[in-house]
């Protein structure tokens, strides 16, 4: 019989970087151009078969971002075993904000694995953050994986979630 | 035209004759000189005259046409002038109307009002659905506005229409409700009524307290820190794939309430329609119970008790829970009392005061019984000594039933109490315990066929409503079948 493991992870990042879109793409494999701002928190679940013996149930807490960093409710981060930091490749400011999210995460639940994601590679001509900047920023956190994604095309979305998932087991 | 001029003047006659001669001469000369040309001229002249006539005729026709055209033009001009005049008049009228409407709304309203009602009426008649769509939102909005501003007027206006209906409905509902309660109260067992009286409440009150409807639908046990679902039990047993998401959201709502309204309090209740979610928290876990109806008395306390007990019992496992469900103890059974609390939450026992009263009543009753018994024994024992000369009446009363018994052919009750010993019987055999009538049918109305004497044996063929159909075979007699009362038969 397969062992069931449940883990809570959080998606953190500024307003409109694509946290909800990444979750929607990963959980339901869909994308919507329509932007609906998340209020408070949105919780989704995805089961991943890590091995024939282990099934991981990831509870994804997609936390509402804000235009200017105002922080997230610490209680929403508590109990999380992993986090995905998301920035928008077309807005360098969203990469800078991640340090503040990291401080809040460290206060609530220290030393958990973090995956750093630069989202919106589909807007290639408008990208203002390069790979080097991402890696530089990643050194400041307990980063276990870095990638650039596109929730619109689905590029690298599943792989980054799975990379974090394997780290949790 | 004369070619030569007269050169002199002579007497008139002479002159005249000369003139004539000249003319003739001239004519002759002319004829010689221009005779041919003259003819040709004449022809030309005729032609010219003819052309002239034609031209004149043509001119006349043209003139007529021109006159006609001119007449038409004049008419058109006249019409145009008239139209222009009318147009000006209309324009000035419109301008005047516009000015009037701009100056005062009332003016416009006055002009439109007379036709407005007809306009609406016709539109409603022609296309009621379309008008409904158009006017619906406006009517809704108007009603809301009216309710805000002139609520009392609206209530007064609507009361005659709906007040009576509502009153009637309420009366009917109450009447039905009362009947139901009454019917159910009548069916209550005597011991329930005694219980209610002992508890110091009316049977009705106890009935309500016990029977206010509620149903626990599902109970969640959730890890407090992470919001992960540890286990759950449900009344329906229906699986629900999203229970872990619900658990997460419940946790988020709890956390949100706590962050927003202060750490000191806890969110204990969430109401959604008829459903109520009750929450009770302990150190590492919290329990969420989803129920319909009224919260049963003591249920919150039970929730609190169970969640603390579970947390204490499995403290290490719950405190160190890291998502591995296999490491969890079997928690489902711990939640069962919360899903089916009906036995636990039965009305509490008697209070101390009630218990004391009950004890005093029972003690008094026992004391009374003891005293009565003592009095009776004392009286009976001392009676012969107190009244030695009198005949003892009780002996006579004891003898009387024996006399009755011997007079009737049927056995009496006394005999059933002391049956005479009978031989061992087969399963299908029976024996009469006393003299017994064999009847043609099951019942005392039927004819007596024969008599069975005490101890006589017979075969029981079948049984019906306290009567036995038997077969009796006596030596030297034909077998007899008939009905006997089972009360007087031993088997």
């Amino acid at each position: 019989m397969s062992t069931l493991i449940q883990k809570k992870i959080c998606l953190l990042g500024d307003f409109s970087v694509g946290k909800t879109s990444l979750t929607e793409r990963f959980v339901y494999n869909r994308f919507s151009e329509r932007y609906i701002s998340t209020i408070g928190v949105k919780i989704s679940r995805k089961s991943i078969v890590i091995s024939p013996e282990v099934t991981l149930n990831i509870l994804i807490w997609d936390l509402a971002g804000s235009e200017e960093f105002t922080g997230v409710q610490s209680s929403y981060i508590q109990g999380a075993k992993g986090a995905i930091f998301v920035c928008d490749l077309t807005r360098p400011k969203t990469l800078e904000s991640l340090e503040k999210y990291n401080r809040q995460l460290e206060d609530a639940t220290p030393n958990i694995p973090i995956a750093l994601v630069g989202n919106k590679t589909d807007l290639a001509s408008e990208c203002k953050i390069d790979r080097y900047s991402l890696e530089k920023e990643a050194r400041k956190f307990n980063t276990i994986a870095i990638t650039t994604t596109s929730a619109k095309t689905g590029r690298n979305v599943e792989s980054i979630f799975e990379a974090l998932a394997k780290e949790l087991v | 035209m004369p070619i030569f001029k007269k050169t002199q003047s002579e007497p008139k006659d002479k002159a005249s004759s000369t003139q004539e001669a000249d003319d003739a001469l001239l004519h002759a000369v002319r004829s010689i000189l221009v005779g041919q040309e003259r003819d040709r001229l004449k022809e030309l002249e005729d032609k010219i005259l003819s052309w002239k006539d034609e031209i004149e005729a043509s001119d006349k026709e043209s003139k007529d046409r021109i006159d006609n055209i001119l007449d038409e033009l004049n008419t058109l001009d006249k019409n145009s002038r008239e139209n222009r005049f009318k147009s000006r008049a209309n324009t000035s009228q419109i301008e005047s109307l516009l000015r009037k409407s701009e100056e005062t709304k009332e003016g416009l309203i006055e002009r439109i009002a007379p036709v407005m009602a007809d306009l609406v009426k016709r539109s409603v008649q022609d296309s009621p659905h379309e008008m409904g769509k158009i006017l619906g939102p406006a009517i809704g909005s108007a009603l809301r506005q009216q309710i805000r501003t002139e609520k009392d007027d609206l209530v007064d206006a609507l009361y005659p229409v709906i007040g009576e209906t509502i009153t009637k409905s309420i009366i009917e509902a109450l009447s039905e409700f009362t009947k139901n309660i009454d019917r159910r109260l009548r069916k209550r067992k005597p011991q329930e009524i005694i219980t209610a009286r002992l508890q110091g409440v009316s049977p009705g009150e106890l009935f309500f307290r016990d029977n206010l409807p509620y149903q626990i639908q599902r109970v969640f046990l959730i890890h407090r820190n992470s919001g992960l679902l540890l286990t759950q039990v449900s009344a329906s047993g229906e699986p629900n794939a999203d229970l872990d998401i619900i658990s997460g959201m419940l946790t988020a709502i709890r956390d949100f309430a706590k962050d927003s309204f202060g750490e000191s309090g806890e969110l204990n209740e969430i109401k959604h329609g008829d459903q109520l979610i009750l929450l009770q928290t302990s150190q590492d876990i919290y329990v969420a119970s989803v129920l319909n109806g009224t919260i049963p008395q003591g249920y919150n306390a039970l929730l609190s008790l169970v969640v603390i007990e579970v947390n204490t019992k499995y403290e290490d496992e719950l405190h160190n829970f890291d998502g591995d469900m296999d490491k969890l103890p079997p928690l489902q059974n711990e939640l069962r009392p919360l899903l089916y609390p009906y036995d636990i939450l039965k009305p509490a026992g008697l209070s101390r005061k009630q218990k004391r009263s009950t004890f005093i009543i029972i003690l008094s009753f026992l004391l009374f019984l003891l005293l009565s018994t003592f009095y009776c024994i004392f009286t009976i024992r001392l009676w012969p000594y107190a009244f030695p000369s009198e005949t003892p009446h009780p002996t006579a009363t004891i003898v009387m039933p024996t006399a009755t018994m011997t007079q009737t052919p049927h056995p009496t009750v006394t005999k059933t109490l002391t049956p005479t010993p009978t031989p061992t019987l087969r399963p299908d055999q029976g024996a009469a315990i006393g003299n017994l009538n064999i009847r043609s049918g099951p019942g005392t109305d039927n004819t007596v066929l024969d008599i069975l004497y005490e101890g006589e044996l017979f075969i029981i063929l079948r049984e019906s409503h306290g009567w036995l159909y038997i077969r009796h075979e006596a030596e030297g007699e034909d077998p007899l079948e008939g009905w006997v009362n089972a009360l007087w038969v031993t088997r």
Side-chain angles (χ1 to χ4, degrees), chain B residues 44 82 113 197 244 303 393:
Chain B
L44 285 170
E82 279 175 8
R197 291 293 177 207
D244 43 7
L303 278 178
H393 294 283

Side-chain angles (χ1 to χ4, degrees), chain A residues 1-8 28 41-45 57 59 61 73-76 78-81, chain B residues 225-230 241-245 248-249 251-252 255-256 259-260 321-326:
Chain A
M1 204 177 91
S2 174
T3 302
L4 179 67
I5 295 174
Q6 296 200 81
K7 297 284 179 185
K8 169 183 173 179
Y28 306 108
V41 61
K42 188 179 176 193
I43 299 169
S44 314
R45 179 206 53 243
N57 225 10
L59 271 298
W61 286 50
Q73 284 187 294
S74 296
S75 50
Y76 289 170
Q78 275 178 1
K81 299 294 176 192
Chain B
N225 206 19
S226 62
L228 294 174
L229 178 65
L230 301 175
D242 292 331
L243 292 175
D244 43 7
I245 297 177
M249 281 312 296
T251 310
D255 292 343
F256 175 77
D259 290 346
S260 306
F321 175 67
D322 65 346
D324 191 343
M325 301 303 283
D326 287 354

Side-chain angles (χ1 to χ4, degrees), chain B residues 331-451:
Chain B
L331 295 167
Q332 246 187 1
N333 285 337
E334 307 285 349
L335 297 186
R336 299 263 173 225
L338 297 177
L339 191 64
Y340 304 107
Y342 311 104
D343 293 333
I344 302 166
L345 297 180
K346 275 199 166 171
L350 302 178
S351 68
R352 188 174 289 179
K353 194 178 169 185
Q354 288 165 340
K355 278 179 184 168
R356 199 189 304 151
S357 308
T358 315
F359 178 73
I360 290 168
I361 291 167
I362 293 170
L363 196 69
S364 307
F365 179 73
L366 286 174
L367 202 65
F368 172 76
L369 205 66
L370 195 70
L371 284 172
S372 307
T373 313
F374 179 74
Y375 175 77
C376 286
I377 293 169
F378 180 77
T379 311
I380 291 165
R381 289 274 170 89
L382 289 183
W383 192 271
Y385 302 104
F387 307 100
S389 59
E390 288 189 16
T391 312
H393 294 283
T395 315
T397 53
I398 292 164
V399 171
M400 280 178 72
T402 315
T404 314
M405 190 173 63
T406 51
Q407 283 168 359
T408 59
H410 305 290
T412 61
V413 176
T414 319
K415 286 200 170 181
T416 60
L417 297 174
T418 55
T420 51
T422 52
T424 311
L425 300 170
R426 294 204 314 265
D428 63 337
Q429 271 190 327
I433 43 174
N435 298 341
L436 185 57
N437 291 329
I438 301 174
R439 292 179 183 271
S440 60
T444 50
D445 299 339
N446 295 291
T447 325
V448 176
L449 304 174
D450 201 350
I451 293 171

Side-chain angles (χ1 to χ4, degrees), chain B residues 49-78:
Chain B
L49 282 173
S50 138
W51 285 348
K52 191 184 171 187
D53 288 344
E54 279 178 18
I55 287 166
E56 278 176 359
S58 174
D59 276 354
K60 197 183 175 190
E61 197 180 335
S62 299
K63 198 182 171 188
D64 288 346
R65 281 184 183 172
I66 287 166
D67 285 345
N68 284 341
I69 289 166
L70 280 174
D71 285 346
E72 281 177 16
L73 281 173
N74 283 334
T75 316
L76 283 171
D77 186 40
K78 196 181 168 189

Side-chain angles (χ1 to χ4, degrees), chain B residues 137-151 154:
Chain B
I139 290 169
S141 174
L143 270 174
R144 277 191 290 277
Q145 179 66 27
Q146 186 74 1
I147 288 165
R148 272 198 294 274
T149 55
E150 306 288 342
K151 193 170 76 182
L154 202 69

